[in-house]
Amino acid sequence: MNLEQMLPLGLSFLQAALPSISKLFGAEKTAFVTKAVDFVVEAAPIVAKQYKDLKPVVQNVIMVLKSDPSTHMAQLDALEAAEVALDKDFDDAAAAAIAEDAAAAKPQT
């Protein structure tokens, strides 16, 4: 089973586990945050291309991880890059749809 197949389930588990992050301390918390950041960074491009309905879940996970004080600067940078990539794909799709609608609405001569 590859990441693409596990993505919806993995995001569900991660989202369910996030409220418990405050109960972790030290090395356990660092390990959890590191694995969560790595998963989100790897998952974001796949979500943008194949699982658009999961974008709000990924954005929520990113927001929670970014707000946790144990998230290191390099991890914050990686999360920001994942968020930008996720938004760019959706923005590009929206712009293409708007252009397509405008072209269809233009009167034919």
Side-chain angles (χ1 to χ4, degrees):
M1 199 177 245
N2 63 25
L3 179 62
E4 291 177 24
Q5 294 168 320
M6 297 180 350
L7 191 62
L9 184 60
L11 284 170
S12 294
F13 283 141
L14 184 55
Q15 190 172 28
L18 285 175
S20 300
I21 195 170
S22 63
K23 297 176 186 171
L24 299 174
F25 295 98
E28 288 178 340
K29 188 169 193 173
T30 301
F32 177 86
V33 168
T34 298
K35 288 180 190 285
V37 169
D38 291 347
F39 180 80
V40 168
V41 167
E42 192 172 341
I46 298 168
V47 168
K49 299 230 181 292
Q50 296 178 13
Y51 295 99
K52 296 184 184 340
D53 56 322
L54 292 175
K55 182 183 178 191
V57 175
V58 175
Q59 288 176 314
N60 182 51
V61 170
I62 289 172
M63 180 190 68
V64 170
L65 290 170
K66 285 170 68 176
S67 67
D68 189 278
S70 65
T71 306
H72 299 291
M73 187 56 74
Q75 293 170 323
L76 291 170
D77 291 343
L79 289 169
E80 185 68 31
E83 197 169 30
V84 166
L86 194 62
D87 288 341
K88 182 185 180 321
D89 195 68
F90 283 91
D91 292 344
D92 290 349
I98 290 169
E100 186 177 302
D101 290 347
K106 216 176 200 183
Q108 299 293 323
T109 57

